[in-house]
């Protein structure tokens, strides 16, 4: 797993992908931080995190679109699948490479906390809660992206479908607000990854919701492993 | 050691391979011979654990590839048909990655990689991006990949494809050297390759094992000892008469007018008789010089037609055990259509196996 992780992580920075992701992320985040914190002189960074959630919808597919599809295309999946590595190791390697790029970008936003603390008071528990929550939700995003990438050998299709799935999840979230029927709301609540995020933005750290994120990420990683194993039977 | 028993793989309704069984002992180099789409790649993919068979089993050094894939794969070095290269890495980075991926511990990283790079002849290109390598060097990088970790079993899918003639000889020598203490399967559709490297040949066609034999038994077919093309300067009829009168000649006729005043003759000897000397003497006595003399190479297609037809006829009366084909590869009979009309023989219409089904993996 570590060999694959290292290779993929390197690949992000020998191609434009890693740079594009980090640049896009930082530009949007810095803009948001300037508009909603500096220009409006508030110490609450909840807007930053709320915008981050939607920004990731667009840019996470950049990270995940080629994780497995590129391997299919170059036939390097044949190398990975005939090496003494379990499919889970392959998927974990790919997942964590993408995840680490995200974690690195996220770490860059810690500077906002430093800036705020220089000029005012930072609500430390709320900030920590937000960071942990975004780490959880990013795991969900990336695992979905990796899974979709395992379905096709075309990066573009992987990218667009991933955005599509994220958009679908957003729509579910909107439906939750519109529909008043009890049981449908329950179903929608379980499918909506955004709704759960609101709790964190409001400053409440919900262990249940965090576990929910990790479970969803786990399910998608498991399904990706199944996809790799299924290839053998094609 | 590789043990394959009753491997069957279907792609939808189409049979990829059908009940293939064989055992390869340690230190054997075995050639896997067959036209495109015969099932060579499928079989190799199953042995290496990339595909799974619908039934049957493959064991590497006694370890079943399905039961304990990680342990079995540790013993295998695999060079697939298309070398699995990361184009965005340099050769050096790539081989280092493979070293990590295979979790090699028995060899020191730097010296092991350098040794292999030296062996396959890619040492001078270590710092180049794989993307920028020529096909021949990509193939070498792929071969180097298979050798990392010094696996006891090597599975090479058309290892010399895309190389120039000099490189082909080099790589064949490398494989021969490696074969001294390893088990190697290599697939090819080049007959000479088999006779140059392999100790044993498995011929596969339409997903079935048609022959399992030593290349010596194939060699009669490969070299075509008994059929010669002779170019003689002299009047057509006279020369033909002289040739037919030579002791041991079974058949002789003109094929084409080669140069002005000379003709090409196809001469076929009776079994186990070398007619070259008496033929030379006879023509010399008559004063007709031999301008060219060569034995006729038979194409792979000829051999397949032969093998497949024998199989068909042998199957009808009594069903033979599929895993023990006892077809003898000799030239005791004429190969259909190959006598005079060489051009049509090698052309598409006769090469049944190649044009049919494509490999679908």
């Amino acid at each position: 797993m570590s060999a694959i992780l290292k290779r993929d992580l390197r690949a992000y920075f020998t191609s434009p992908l890693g740079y594009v992701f980090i640049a896009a992320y930082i530009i949007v985040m810095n803009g948001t931080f300037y508009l909603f914190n500096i220009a409006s002189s508030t110490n609450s960074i909840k807007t930053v995190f709320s915008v981050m959630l939607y920004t990731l919808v667009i840019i996470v597919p950049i990270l995940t679109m080629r994780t497995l599809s590129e391997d299919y295309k170059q036939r390097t999946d044949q190398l990975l699948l005939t090496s003494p590595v379990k499919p889970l190791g392959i998927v974990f390697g790919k997942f964590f490479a993408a995840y680490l790029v995200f974690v690195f970008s996220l770490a860059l936003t810690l500077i906002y906390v430093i800036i705020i603390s220089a000029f005012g008071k930072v609500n430390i528990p709320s900030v920590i809660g937000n960071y942990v929550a975004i780490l959880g939700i990013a795991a969900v995003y990336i695992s979905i992206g990796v899974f979709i990438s395992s379905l096709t050998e075309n990066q573009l299709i992987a990218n667009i479908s991933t955005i599509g799935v994220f958009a679908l999840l957003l729509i579910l979230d909107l439906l939750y607000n519109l529909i008043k029927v009890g049981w449908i709301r329950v179903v929608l609540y379980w499918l909506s990854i955004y709704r759960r995020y609101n709790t964190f933005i409001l400053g409440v750290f919900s262990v249940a919701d965090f576990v929910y994120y990790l479970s969803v990420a786990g399910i998608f990683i498991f399904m990706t492993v199944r996809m790799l194993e299924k290839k053998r039977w094609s | 050691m590789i043990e394959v028993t009753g491997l069957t793989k279907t792609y939808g309704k189409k049979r990829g391979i059908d009940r293939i069984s064989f055992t390869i002992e340690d230190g054997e180099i075995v050639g896997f011979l067959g036209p495109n789409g015969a099932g060579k790649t499928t079989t190799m993919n199953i042995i290496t654990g990339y595909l799974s068979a619908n039934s049957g089993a493959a064991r590497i050094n006694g370890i079943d590839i399905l039961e304990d894939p990680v342990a079995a794969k540790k013993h295998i070095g695999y060079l697939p048909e298309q070398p699995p290269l990361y184009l965005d890495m340099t050769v050096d980075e790539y081989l280092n990655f493979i070293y990590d991926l295979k979790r090699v511990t028995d060899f020191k990283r730097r010296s092991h990689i350098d040794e292999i790079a030296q062996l396959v002849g890619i040492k001078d290109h270590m710092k180049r991006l794989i993307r920028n390598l020529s096909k021949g060097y990509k193939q070498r990088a792929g071969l180097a990949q298979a050798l990392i970790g010094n696996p006891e079993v090597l599975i090479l899918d058309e290892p010399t494809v895309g190389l120039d003639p000099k490189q082909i000889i080099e790589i064949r020598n490398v494989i021969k050297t490696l074969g001294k203490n390893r088990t190697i399967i290599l697939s090819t559709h080049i007959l000479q390759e088999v006779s140059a490297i392999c100790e044993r040949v498995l011929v596969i066609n339409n997903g079935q094992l048609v022959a399992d034999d030593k290349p010596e038994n194939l060699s009669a077919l490969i070299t075509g000892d008994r059929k010669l093309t002779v170019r003689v300067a002299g009047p057509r009829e006279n020369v033909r008469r002289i040739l037919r009168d030579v002791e041991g000649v079974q058949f002789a006729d003109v094929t084409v007018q080669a140069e002005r005043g000379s003709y090409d003759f196809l001469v076929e000897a009776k079994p186990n008789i070398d007619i070259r000397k008496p033929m030379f003497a006879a023509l010399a006595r008559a004063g007709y010089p031999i301008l060219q003399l060569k034995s006729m190479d038979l194409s792979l297609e000829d051999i397949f037609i032969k093998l497949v037809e024998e199989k068909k006829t042998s199957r009808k009366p009594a069903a033979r055990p599929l895993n023990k084909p006892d077809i003898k590869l000799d030239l005791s009979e004429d190969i259909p259509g190959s006598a005079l009309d060489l051009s049509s023989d090698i052309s598409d219409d006769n090469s049944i196996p190649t044009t049919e089904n494509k490999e679908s993996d």
Side-chain angles (χ1 to χ4, degrees), chain A residues 1 3-4 6-8 10-11 14-15 66 71 73-86 94 229 231-234, chain B residues 9 11 45 48-53 66 70 73-74 78 80 82 84-89 93-94 97-98 100-103 145 361:
Chain A
M1 173 195 131
I4 296 169
K6 244 165 63 187
R7 198 218 82 81
D8 267 47
R10 234 191 110 271
T14 50
S15 71
R66 72 171 204 176
D71 280 289
K73 202 167 182 186
Q74 304 292 348
R75 295 293 190 95
T76 41
D77 61 319
Q78 210 162 3
L79 170 71
L80 301 178
L81 290 170
T82 56
S83 304
V85 183
K86 289 199 175 106
K94 304 242 159 221
E229 282 173 351
K231 265 184 80 71
R232 283 219 310 250
W233 301 98
S234 62
Chain B
K9 173 85 180 166
Y11 295 107
N45 277 336
T48 54
Y50 180 62
L51 290 177
S52 293
L66 270 185
V70 172
K73 286 169 187 173
K74 277 203 164 178
Y78 182 31
Q82 186 186 336
L85 304 169
Y86 283 104
L87 303 180
D88 57 351
M89 300 175 106
E93 286 164 353
Y94 176 67
F97 163 64
I98 302 294
D100 291 334
L101 186 69
K102 293 190 176 175
R103 286 180 234 164
Q145 167 272 122
D361 50 354

Side-chain angles (χ1 to χ4, degrees), chain A residues 8-54:
Chain A
D8 267 47
L9 198 55
R10 234 191 110 271
Y12 279 121
F13 296 101
T14 50
S15 71
L17 282 187
Y19 300 103
V20 167
F21 175 82
I22 293 174
Y25 179 81
I26 287 304
I27 288 169
V28 176
M29 286 301 106
N30 283 0
T32 313
F33 180 67
Y34 179 79
L35 279 177
F36 292 95
N37 285 90
I38 299 187
S40 54
S41 310
T42 52
N43 68 345
S44 157
I45 60 170
K46 71 174 193 197
T47 321
V48 169
F49 277 94
S50 159
V51 171
M52 195 185 292
L53 188 68
Y54 298 106

Side-chain angles (χ1 to χ4, degrees), chain B residues 128-141:
Chain B
R128 287 182 66 188
L129 272 182
I130 293 177
R131 185 189 304 283
N132 300 332
L133 294 178
S134 68
K135 188 155 184 342
Y137 278 103
K138 281 183 182 158
Q139 191 71 24
R140 285 165 191 240

Side-chain angles (χ1 to χ4, degrees), chain B residues 155-294:
Chain B
I155 300 192
L156 311 172
D157 202 349
E158 309 206 346
T160 55
V161 151
L163 303 176
D164 63 41
K166 186 170 159 277
Q167 293 172 330
I168 290 181
I169 293 170
E170 280 173 31
I171 293 295
R172 281 181 190 167
N173 287 335
V174 169
I175 295 172
K176 263 191 191 165
T177 319
L178 292 168
K180 283 178 187 143
N181 45 13
R182 285 184 189 74
T183 311
I184 300 181
I185 304 187
L186 68 99
S187 79
T188 179
H189 48 242
I190 307 161
L191 279 172
Q192 285 77 6
E193 194 144 291
V194 169
S195 56
I197 315 178
C198 304
E199 295 149 7
R200 191 174 141 201
V201 191
L202 301 175
V203 183
I204 185 170
N205 189 46
N206 278 333
Q208 292 186 322
L209 207 57
V210 248
D212 177 351
D213 219 327
K214 288 198 161 63
E216 289 93 89
N217 298 343
L218 265 175
S219 67
L221 288 168
I222 295 166
T223 55
D225 273 343
R226 292 181 47 230
K227 288 191 181 182
L228 303 165
T229 333
V230 202
R231 181 173 297 173
V232 184
R236 184 177 166 145
E237 285 312 311
N238 290 358
V239 175
R240 177 159 62 186
R241 207 169 41 242
I242 292 166
L243 286 173
R244 283 184 177 172
D245 288 344
V246 172
E247 172 103 31
V249 168
Q250 192 171 36
F251 172 88
D253 210 344
V254 180
T255 53
V256 284
Q257 177 167 20
E259 298 160 33
R260 207 182 166 77
S262 67
Y263 296 87
D264 279 359
F265 293 84
L266 182 100
V267 182
E268 197 185 328
K270 287 174 184 155
N272 305 321
I273 294 176
D274 187 354
I275 54 163
R276 287 172 300 179
K277 283 179 195 164
M279 189 170 69
F280 174 83
L283 287 166
R285 267 197 305 277
Y288 301 131
I290 295 178
L291 303 180
Q292 208 179 61
L293 173 65
K294 60 180 179 187

